[in-house]
Amino acid sequence: MKALSSKAESGLLKLSSEAYPQSTKLEHRSTSDSGPLGADVHSSDEDSAPGLDDFSTLSPYERKRLKNIRENANFFASLQLSESAARLRGMIKKRQPPESKRKRPKKKESEIGCRRSMRLLKVEPLGISSPSAEPALEEEGIPLLPPGPLEMIPENQDDSSELLKASLKTWAEMSRMSNEKTKKGLSSVKSYKAYLSGMVVSEATVRKVTKGAISSVAIHPSEVRTLVAAGAKSGQIGLWDLSQQGEDEDGVYAFCPHSQPVSCLYFSPSNPAHLLSLSYDGTLRCGDFSSAVFEEVYRNETNSLSSFDFLADDASTLLVGHWDGHLSLVDRRTPGTSYEQFFNSSLGKIRTVHVHPVSRQYFITAGLRDIHIYDVRCLNSRRSQPLLSPTGHSKSIASAYFSPVTGNRVVTTCADCKLRVFDSSSISSQIPLLTTIRHNTITGRWLTRFQAVWDPKQEDCFIVGSMAHPRRVEVFHETGETVYSLLGECLVSVCSLSAMHPTRYILAGGNSSGRVHVFMHQESL
C-alpha cells in the first residue's frame, strides 16, 4: 500500500511540476518535510476517500490544498501543454531561409559629418555666385561681345533714330567743364551746407534708367544741361538727359556695349563727349557722341577687369586694375590696338584704382583688406612693391580715393562698418589715420556695396549711401561730422552709389533696381 501511494505521489508531483514549477518546488519541500503526509493524495477524496484514517493528522487546510494541487494538475494535463511546447520547439528549430542582405552604399570620403556654415568657413557656395563676389571672365550662358566698335543703338527706343541723332549732337556740342571754378578757394562748411539744403528730389528727377542694379554712376560736366550716365550689372549703360521733359521714356536711352557688370564709368576730362566704361567682361570701351559708336579701347580675354583711372590729364593713358591683382598701362595714342604694359601688384585682388590728382605718378589701390600706394615709375612685371601700405582694416575694402583737388586726404570704405580718412599730404613717409567714422556698410547680398566718394567742389567733404530710415544720402566732413543728409519723400530705396557734379550742386544716386535719383535745385531743371 505504501509503495503504490508513493508511486502515485511521484506521478502527481510530476504533473504539478509541469504546470506550476515554482509552487511544485515549494510543495515538494513541504511533503518531504512532513514524510507520509502526502502519500495517499492521489487515492484520497476528501473525507470519504479510503485510507483516510492514515492521514487523520492532516488539518482541513492541508487536505484542501492537496486537493487543489491534484485538480490543477489534471486540468493542465488535459490541455496537453507539454505536447504543444514540444511542437513549438520543433518549429523553431527548423532552418529558416537566409535573409537577403542589402549592400550599404560606401560613405564618400568627401562627405561632411555635420552641417556647418559656409559663411563661417569662408567658402563660396557651390554653383551660386554672389552679386558682390569677384566675377569670372566668361560665365556660362553669357558670351562675350565681338571685338571692335559697336554702334550706338538704344534698346528701349524703337523709332528714335532722329531723336537719338539730335540728342547725340546736343551732347557732343556741350561746353567743356571749366577747371578754373573748381580750382578756386573752397567754400566754408557753413555756406556749403546752405547750398546742400537747397537740393531736393522730386518725381521729375527720379527715373528708371537701366534694367538691372546700378553698379556705376557718372555726371556730365556740362554747365547748361544735366546728363547722367549709369552702368548696370547687366552690362547696360543708361543715359538720362534731364533737360528733355515729356513722357516717362523721353530722355532715357539704354545701350548694351558690355555683357557683364559695368563697374567703372567716367566722362573724359579732356573731351566730355567721350564716355569711357569698364566691364567685368574684360573690355574697356569709349562711347563717342560725335560718331555714335562705342569704340573698343582695351580688351583682355584672360583676366577680368575691375577698375580704371586716367593716368594723364588729357586721358591719353589709362591705368587698369584686374580682379586677380594685375595692372595694365594702356596708351590710347598708338594707332589701331592700344599699347599695353602688364604689371603685377602686391595685392591678391584689386577692387578700385585711383590716380593722385596732382602728383599723377602716384596711385592708390584697394584690395581685400589692404590699401597700397604705388609709384607708376617703379612698377615691375613680376612683383611691384608699394611705397606705403596703411593698415587697420579688419574686413574687405570696397574703395579708396584721393581727395579731388590736392590729394592730401584718402577716404576708404570698409565692410567693418567704418569709414576712414587718412592724411596723404606726405606720401614719401607715412599716411596716418585721421578719422574713423562709424557707418553701416552692410548692404547685404542683393545691394551694390557702398563707396564713399569726394565732392569735386569741396576738398574736405565726401558722400556715401546710407541704410538708415528714412532713406538718405549722407555728406560727411573729413573730421567725421555729418554735414548734411539728403532725403525726401521720393527717395524710398537705398542709393548705394552716388556722383556729384564737378561745378554745380547736382547729385545723382543709383539703386539696385536701376533707378536714378537726382538731387538738385529747382531752378536747375
Side-chain angles (χ1 to χ4, degrees):
M1 181 71 179
K2 291 184 179 180
L4 291 176
S5 62
S6 298
K7 188 176 182 180
E9 181 184 6
S10 62
L12 180 59
L13 292 176
K14 184 178 180 181
L15 291 174
S16 62
S17 63
E18 294 179 358
Y20 292 98
Q22 297 294 333
S23 62
T24 304
K25 293 179 181 180
L26 294 175
E27 300 303 330
H28 179 71
R29 185 183 305 163
S30 175
T31 53
S32 62
D33 295 340
S34 58
L37 290 179
D40 291 338
V41 173
H42 186 70
S43 60
S44 63
D45 187 9
E46 216 168 36
D47 295 338
S48 60
L52 188 61
D53 296 335
D54 297 335
F55 304 99
S56 58
T57 57
L58 292 176
S59 65
Y61 169 77
E62 293 291 339
R63 289 195 298 269
K64 188 175 181 179
R65 184 175 64 83
L66 294 176
K67 179 183 177 182
N68 291 337
I69 292 174
R70 181 180 61 81
E71 291 178 352
N72 291 337
N74 293 334
F75 171 74
F76 283 107
S78 64
L79 295 178
Q80 299 180 351
L81 294 178
S82 59
E83 291 80 357
S84 300
R87 288 196 300 269
L88 290 175
R89 284 193 295 268
M91 294 173 61
I92 294 173
K93 290 180 179 179
K94 288 183 179 180
R95 186 175 182 181
Q96 297 180 355
E99 296 181 359
S100 59
K101 296 183 179 179
R102 280 174 33 180
K103 295 182 180 179
R104 295 182 179 179
K106 294 183 179 179
K107 192 174 182 180
K108 297 180 180 179
E109 295 181 358
S110 60
E111 190 176 37
I112 300 177
C114 59
R115 296 183 61 183
R116 296 185 181 181
S117 171
M118 301 185 76
R119 176 181 62 82
L120 296 177
L121 294 174
K122 298 180 180 181
V123 177
E124 286 294 330
L126 298 178
I128 302 176
S129 60
S130 174
S132 61
E134 291 74 16
L137 181 61
E138 185 174 0
E139 298 179 359
E140 185 178 356
I142 307 179
L144 298 179
L145 296 179
L150 299 175
E151 188 177 355
M152 278 190 173
I153 301 176
E155 293 186 337
N156 62 331
Q157 302 286 346
D158 296 331
D159 301 327
S160 60
S161 57
E162 297 299 327
L163 182 60
L164 177 62
K165 289 180 181 179
S167 299
L168 291 174
K169 183 179 180 181
T170 302
W171 299 340
E173 294 174 354
M174 286 180 179
S175 60
R176 296 181 180 180
M177 178 184 62
S178 176
N179 293 329
E180 296 180 0
K181 186 174 182 179
T182 305
K183 292 181 180 179
K184 290 182 180 180
L186 300 176
S187 302
S188 63
V189 176
K190 185 176 181 180
S191 60
Y192 178 64
K193 184 177 180 179
Y195 285 122
L196 294 177
S197 62
M199 298 170 60
V200 295
V201 61
S202 61
E203 293 183 359
T205 60
V206 178
R207 193 67 53 88
K208 187 173 178 61
V209 178
T210 63
K211 289 182 180 179
I214 293 177
S215 52
S216 55
V217 182
I219 299 182
H220 193 280
S222 172
E223 297 281 350
V224 294
R225 300 178 73 90
T226 303
L227 177 64
V228 179
K233 289 186 177 181
S234 59
Q236 275 190 340
I237 292 179
L239 294 174
W240 179 22
D241 190 347
L242 276 74
S243 303
Q244 296 182 3
Q245 297 294 331
E247 298 180 3
D248 293 341
E249 291 78 15
D250 288 349
V252 177
Y253 301 91
F255 307 94
C256 194
H258 301 282
S259 60
Q260 293 186 24
V262 181
S263 59
C264 210
L265 201 62
Y266 290 118
F267 285 97
S268 173
S270 61
N271 185 4
H274 291 173
L275 176 63
L276 285 88
S277 59
L278 178 141
S279 173
Y280 290 178
D281 62 7
T283 60
L284 194 157
R285 295 184 180 273
C286 175
D288 190 348
F289 298 151
S290 301
S291 58
V293 169
F294 285 101
E295 298 178 354
E296 187 174 277
V297 177
Y298 175 66
R299 187 182 186 93
N300 192 312
E301 296 186 356
T302 58
N303 296 330
S304 182
L305 310 182
S306 60
S307 178
F308 85 97
D309 198 8
F310 302 102
L311 192 60
D313 292 328
D314 58 357
S316 59
T317 55
L318 307 175
L319 191 63
V320 181
H322 301 250
W323 276 111
D324 62 356
H326 286 88
L327 292 163
S328 295
L329 183 60
V330 180
D331 193 340
R332 301 175 61 192
R333 294 169 295 186
T334 57
T337 305
S338 299
Y339 175 72
E340 174 198 7
Q341 284 183 290
F342 205 60
F343 304 100
N344 189 9
S345 70
S346 55
L347 293 172
K349 293 183 183 297
I350 293 179
R351 286 193 171 92
T352 59
V353 174
H354 193 231
V355 178
H356 196 282
V358 180
S359 303
R360 304 196 71 87
Q361 70 271 19
Y362 301 126
F363 66 93
I364 188 169
T365 59
L368 289 177
R369 297 190 179 183
D370 301 303
I371 57 173
H372 288 180
I373 297 179
Y374 295 91
D375 189 336
V376 70
R377 299 167 297 183
C378 301
L379 293 178
N380 192 292
S381 59
R382 294 184 178 179
R383 184 177 177 84
S384 303
Q385 296 298 329
L387 296 177
L388 295 173
S389 302
T391 59
H393 300 88
S394 58
K395 292 188 179 181
S396 64
I397 305 172
S399 61
Y401 296 109
F402 285 109
S403 56
V405 180
T406 64
N408 290 339
R409 299 290 184 268
V410 169
V411 61
T412 63
T413 309
C414 185
D416 59 3
C417 292
K418 291 180 182 179
L419 307 175
R420 293 173 174 85
V421 179
F422 295 86
D423 183 5
S424 56
S425 57
S426 179
I427 295 180
S428 58
S429 56
Q430 286 294 331
I431 55 171
L433 177 64
L434 295 179
T435 310
T436 300
I437 305 171
R438 295 289 303 177
H439 187 72
N440 186 5
T441 57
I442 308 301
T443 55
R445 179 175 180 176
W446 305 110
L447 298 182
T448 306
R449 295 183 67 178
F450 291 151
Q451 289 187 5
V453 294
W454 297 96
D455 186 346
K457 302 179 297 296
Q458 196 73 14
E459 167 79 3
D460 53 357
C461 294
F462 57 89
I463 306 156
V464 66
S466 176
M467 297 292 291
H469 290 276
R471 299 306 187 190
R472 65 194 68 184
V473 178
E474 301 281 0
V475 182
F476 289 99
H477 191 260
E478 63 178 19
T479 59
E481 298 180 1
T482 302
V483 178
Y484 195 75
S485 296
L486 297 168
L487 43 80
E489 295 181 356
C490 295
L491 180 61
V492 294
S493 59
V494 177
C495 286
S496 298
L497 301 175
S498 302
M500 199 76 166
H501 195 280
T503 57
R504 302 163 64 190
Y505 283 89
I506 299 176
L507 181 141
N511 66 9
S512 294
S513 64
R515 292 186 179 274
V516 172
H517 299 73
V518 177
F519 291 84
M520 59 193 307
H521 292 267
Q522 292 292 339
E523 59 271 15
S524 300
L525 287 173

